[in-house]
Amino acid sequence: MTISEEQLTHEALAAKVRPELVTEIPGPAVRAHVERDARVTSPSLPRAYPFAPRRGAGSVVEDLDGNIFIDLNAGIAVTSTGHSHPRVVEAIERQARDLLHYSASDFYLPIYADVCERLDEMAPFSGRARSFLTNSGTESVEAAIKLSRSTTGRQYVIAFFQSFHGRSMGSVTLTASKAKYRAHFGPMLPSVHHAIYGDFEYLDEVVFKRLVAPDEVAAIVVESWLGEGGYILPPEGWFAYLRELCDRHGILLVCDEVQSGMGRSGKMWAIEHEGVEPDIVVAGKGIASGLPLGAMIAREEHMSWETGAHGSTYGGSPLPCAAALATFDVIRDEDLLGNASRVGEGFLAGLRDVQSRHPLLREVRGKALWIGLGFADGDTAQAVEKAAFRKGLLMLTCGDDAIRISPPLVFREDQARASLEIFEEALVEVEAGG
Ligand code: PLP
């Protein structure tokens, strides 16, 4: 196959508007694969339904049986520029030929600084930013915990119920969306307390009054918008309240934008909608369109830790950095923030219209391509998720009773219209007891 034919194939796949199913779902190849996988992979992996992708383009993915799905997951909020965007792929290929690896911790890696310069330009706070690059969201959260403790000389960290910050020991201690993420792993990191997201009294009245003096608190770590906990937006004034509280007590405000960042909200960072500037931002997922990269971006004055205090062999290695630079360019050049806002608002309006005909769908919430759908309970949400899957629409449950919609930022209006039709068919099927 020539390069132009491959390119055509990618474009043809990306141009699809609706699912095209050629076997029952899951088909024979996927069923065989699921059996093979079950013998050798960790049973801890929380597979939602039997979907096994072979390739993807834009907002479309094809499974092992040649079935074509519309992807409202973006491989969970990761493939920001769409699956295998040609400019991202080209940047990775070029970088792979030049240099696969050199550790940026012990030596100078120019492309690492290139990414940090771009993050400095993009950071949602005034003044200069410095960044520490990692391989994942959870490592970026760990870096934020360590930096906050080290720069303030304080040990306590506050996080929130319903939040998700990752699964390594520090970040899983902050995570409080589901007890199963923490079960049997204790003891957790000491000196972490949880408060209620969106409650304007709990911090002062309970945490600071009864549990910990605020001048011993290094950081409040908060998801700008609650992701895994249900795709929930904060109440009006929540971040202004947290900012004021942090300023009053010399606490760092750390915004976890691993899921809400990189344009999904219609702005680069969801916190930009809230009119408040954090001290540290944690990024991951969509930052490199699918290659493993995370970032802990801090106001320059807080990056006060000593040489050797923190590092990583792979964090910010050349391929993910090349993918990130291409991702930033594509988001700018293709106006993907504008696209996320336009297509997302139309999609939200369409979902509210569907809701008016189907009381099973209790709530439609969100902004741009960050959309949460609320149901009466988790079983209903799962039934709708699975019915949609059987019709070729990929969505994922979250929280106690919700489905999240987080397609690539290149998601198109024609695909949104088709998705609404299929989603409504899934609702009808579940209403009928299917
Ligand atoms: N923070 C948030 C808000 C997340 O949604 C996630 C993952 O879903 C993480 C942190 C952890 O990221 P990772 O799975 O890359 O470690």
Side-chain angles (χ1 to χ4, degrees):
M1 203 183 256
T2 67
I3 285 172
S4 67
E5 276 168 339
E6 274 176 20
Q7 182 66 14
L8 248 186
T9 304
H10 175 92
E11 283 173 357
L13 189 60
K16 298 282 181 199
V17 176
R18 309 184 63 85
E20 290 174 20
L21 306 181
V22 293
T23 69
E24 64 193 323
I25 301 296
V30 171
R31 286 202 305 272
H33 174 75
V34 167
E35 262 185 55
R36 184 164 69 89
D37 179 288
R39 284 194 291 273
V40 290
T41 62
S42 165
S44 64
L45 299 171
R47 271 66 180 273
Y49 40 77
F51 172 68
R54 178 165 63 191
R55 61 179 184 148
S59 302
V60 181
V61 272
E62 184 182 325
D63 78 359
L64 294 180
D65 290 290
N67 295 300
I68 288 173
F69 293 77
I70 298 296
D71 186 13
L72 302 186
N73 294 336
I76 319 183
V78 167
T79 54
S80 45
T81 55
H83 290 281
S84 299
H85 191 293
R87 282 178 66 185
V88 176
V89 171
E90 199 208 319
I92 296 166
E93 284 175 350
R94 205 178 331 114
Q95 183 59 50
R97 278 189 291 273
D98 283 352
L99 183 72
L100 279 180
H101 178 71
Y102 224 92
S103 175
S105 279
D106 296 84
F107 301 94
Y108 290 92
L109 188 58
I111 200 166
Y112 186 107
D114 292 343
V115 170
C116 295
E117 277 175 1
R118 297 291 290 271
L119 293 173
D120 173 31
E121 288 163 19
M122 288 176 190
F125 46 73
S126 43
R128 302 305 302 263
R130 288 178 182 265
S131 294
F132 179 88
L133 303 184
T134 72
N135 306 285
S136 63
T138 198
E139 286 171 79
S140 308
V141 171
E142 298 289 345
I145 296 171
K146 288 176 77 174
L147 179 67
S148 302
R149 283 181 160 182
S150 131
T151 192
T152 61
R154 303 171 176 192
Q155 61 171 298
Y156 285 89
V157 177
I158 310 283
F160 295 91
F161 296 117
Q162 286 181 288
S163 63
F164 187 89
H165 296 287
R167 295 172 179 273
S168 49
M169 281 316 295
S171 60
V172 83
T173 305
L174 303 186
T175 291
S177 53
K178 295 191 177 103
K180 71 177 174 191
Y181 298 141
R182 304 155 60 93
H184 316 299
F185 295 137
M188 299 279 130
L189 194 70
S191 312
V192 172
H193 293 294
H194 287 90
I196 298 172
Y197 186 90
D199 185 315
F200 292 78
E201 276 158 22
Y202 194 88
L203 275 160
D204 268 326
E205 291 302 314
V206 180
V207 180
F208 294 160
K209 195 164 172 181
R210 309 208 179 275
L211 293 170
V212 55
D215 64 0
E216 284 193 273
V217 176
I220 293 182
V221 181
V222 57
E223 282 177 85
S224 299
W225 294 357
L226 277 181
E228 217 273 333
Y231 267 49
I232 294 167
L233 301 185
E236 191 72 32
W238 172 242
F239 276 92
Y241 162 74
L242 289 183
R243 181 70 270 175
E244 191 281 320
L245 203 67
C246 286
D247 289 344
R248 189 160 19 114
H249 298 296
I251 298 169
L252 299 181
L253 181 61
V254 179
C255 283
D256 184 338
E257 292 263 359
V258 169
Q259 191 147 180
S260 58
M262 280 298 125
R264 179 149 303 290
S265 71
K267 295 186 188 277
M268 191 55 86
W269 311 103
I271 192 66
E272 292 176 68
H273 291 277
E274 310 300 333
V276 155
E277 297 189 356
D279 298 303
I280 296 178
V281 175
V282 175
K285 286 194 181 279
I287 191 171
S289 292
L291 263 67
L293 187 72
M296 190 265 293
I297 309 156
R299 288 181 196 262
E300 184 174 42
E301 61 266 34
H302 298 313
M303 271 273 189
S304 57
W305 46 13
E306 287 171 17
T307 301
H310 202 40
S312 166
T313 298
Y314 283 123
S317 84
L319 292 196
C321 282
L325 293 172
T327 299
F328 303 154
D329 289 346
V330 169
I331 289 177
R332 179 195 58 210
D333 297 347
E334 298 187 12
D335 185 26
L336 294 188
L337 303 185
N339 189 68
S341 297
R342 269 189 309 278
V343 177
E345 295 311 318
F347 201 23
L348 270 163
L351 285 163
R352 293 199 172 104
D353 182 48
V354 170
Q355 185 192 13
S356 69
R357 292 185 290 279
H358 300 277
L360 190 75
L361 178 54
R362 295 238 171 135
E363 196 185 329
V364 176
R365 54 185 178 248
K367 202 172 192 63
L369 291 176
W370 173 280
I371 299 176
L373 306 175
F375 295 87
D377 49 53
D379 287 347
T380 311
Q382 273 191 25
V384 174
E385 170 198 59
K386 290 187 173 52
F389 166 59
R390 289 192 296 272
K391 295 176 191 302
L393 193 62
L394 302 178
M395 344 172 85
L396 193 60
T397 54
C398 61
D400 296 333
D401 48 23
I403 286 179
R404 71 185 102 177
I405 294 183
S406 58
L409 307 182
V410 294
F411 194 50
R412 296 191 311 265
E413 274 163 13
D414 56 355
Q415 293 168 325
R417 277 195 299 277
S419 301
L420 285 171
E421 278 173 36
I422 299 160
F423 174 64
E424 188 161 10
E425 288 167 18
L427 286 180
V428 169
E429 192 177 300
V430 173
E431 280 163 350

Coordinates of all heavy atoms in Angstrom, one line a residue, residues 136-139 141 164-167 223 228 256 258-259 285, ligand 1:
S136 N 2.2 10.0 33.1 CA 0.8 9.7 33.4 C 0.2 10.8 34.4 O 1.0 11.6 35.0 CB 0.7 8.3 34.2 OG 1.4 8.4 35.4
G137 N -1.1 10.7 34.5 CA -1.8 11.6 35.4 C -1.3 11.4 36.8 O -1.1 12.3 37.6
T138 N -1.3 10.1 37.2 CA -1.0 9.8 38.6 C 0.3 10.2 39.0 O 0.5 10.8 40.1 CB -1.3 8.3 38.9 OG1 -1.4 8.1 40.3 CG2 -0.2 7.4 38.4
E139 N 1.3 10.1 38.2 CA 2.7 10.6 38.5 C 2.7 12.1 38.6 O 3.5 12.6 39.4 CB 3.7 10.2 37.4 CG 4.1 8.7 37.4 CD 4.9 8.4 36.2 OE1 6.1 8.7 36.1 OE2 4.3 7.9 35.2
V141 N 0.2 13.9 39.7 CA -0.4 14.2 41.0 C 0.6 14.0 42.1 O 0.8 14.8 43.0 CB -1.7 13.4 41.2 CG1 -2.2 13.5 42.6 CG2 -2.8 13.8 40.2
F164 N -11.2 11.8 41.7 CA -10.3 10.7 41.2 C -9.0 11.4 40.8 O -9.0 12.3 40.0 CB -10.9 10.0 40.0 CG -10.1 8.8 39.6 CD1 -10.3 7.5 40.2 CD2 -9.1 8.9 38.7 CE1 -9.5 6.4 39.8 CE2 -8.3 7.8 38.3 CZ -8.5 6.6 38.9
H165 N -7.9 10.9 41.4 CA -6.6 11.5 41.1 C -5.6 10.5 40.6 O -4.4 10.8 40.4 CB -6.1 12.3 42.3 CG -7.0 13.5 42.7 ND1 -7.0 14.6 41.9 CD2 -7.8 13.6 43.7 CE1 -7.9 15.5 42.5 NE2 -8.4 14.9 43.6
G166 N -6.0 9.2 40.5 CA -5.0 8.2 40.1 C -4.9 7.1 41.1 O -5.7 7.0 42.1
R167 N -4.0 6.1 40.8 CA -4.0 4.9 41.6 C -2.7 4.6 42.3 O -2.6 3.5 42.9 CB -4.4 3.7 40.6 CG -5.8 3.8 40.1 CD -5.9 2.8 39.0 NE -7.3 2.7 38.4 CZ -8.3 2.0 38.9 NH1 -8.2 1.3 40.0 NH2 -9.4 2.0 38.2
E223 N -10.1 18.5 41.5 CA -10.4 18.4 40.1 C -11.2 19.7 39.7 O -12.2 20.0 40.4 CB -11.3 17.2 39.7 CG -10.5 15.9 39.7 CD -11.5 14.7 39.4 OE1 -11.8 14.5 38.2 OE2 -12.0 14.1 40.4
E228 N -14.3 11.4 36.8 CA -14.6 10.0 37.2 C -15.8 10.0 38.1 O -16.6 9.0 38.1 CB -13.4 9.3 37.7 CG -13.3 7.8 37.3 CD -14.1 6.9 38.3 OE1 -14.3 7.3 39.4 OE2 -14.5 5.9 37.8
D256 N -6.4 19.6 39.4 CA -6.2 18.4 38.6 C -7.0 18.6 37.3 O -8.2 18.5 37.3 CB -6.6 17.2 39.4 CG -6.3 15.9 38.6 OD1 -6.2 15.9 37.4 OD2 -6.2 14.8 39.3
V258 N -6.3 16.6 34.6 CA -5.9 15.5 33.8 C -7.0 15.1 32.8 O -6.8 14.9 31.6 CB -5.5 14.3 34.7 CG1 -5.4 13.0 33.9 CG2 -4.2 14.6 35.5
Q259 N -8.3 15.2 33.3 CA -9.4 14.8 32.4 C -10.0 16.0 31.8 O -10.5 16.0 30.7 CB -10.4 14.0 33.2 CG -11.5 13.3 32.3 CD -12.0 12.0 32.8 OE1 -12.8 11.4 32.2 NE2 -11.5 11.5 33.9
K285 N -3.5 12.7 30.2 CA -4.5 12.2 29.2 C -4.3 12.9 27.8 O -3.4 12.5 27.0 CB -5.9 12.4 29.7 CG -6.3 11.4 30.8 CD -7.8 11.4 31.0 CE -8.2 10.4 32.1 NZ -8.3 9.0 31.6
Ligands
PLP1 N1 -6.6 12.7 37.6 C1 -7.8 12.7 37.0 C2 -8.8 13.8 37.1 C3 -8.1 11.5 36.2 O1 -9.3 11.5 35.6 C4 -7.2 10.5 36.1 C5 -7.5 9.3 35.3 O2 -8.6 9.0 34.9 C6 -6.0 10.6 36.8 C7 -5.7 11.7 37.5 C8 -4.9 9.5 36.7 O3 -4.4 9.5 35.4 P1 -3.6 8.2 34.9 O4 -4.6 7.1 34.7 O5 -2.9 8.7 33.6 O6 -2.6 7.9 35.9

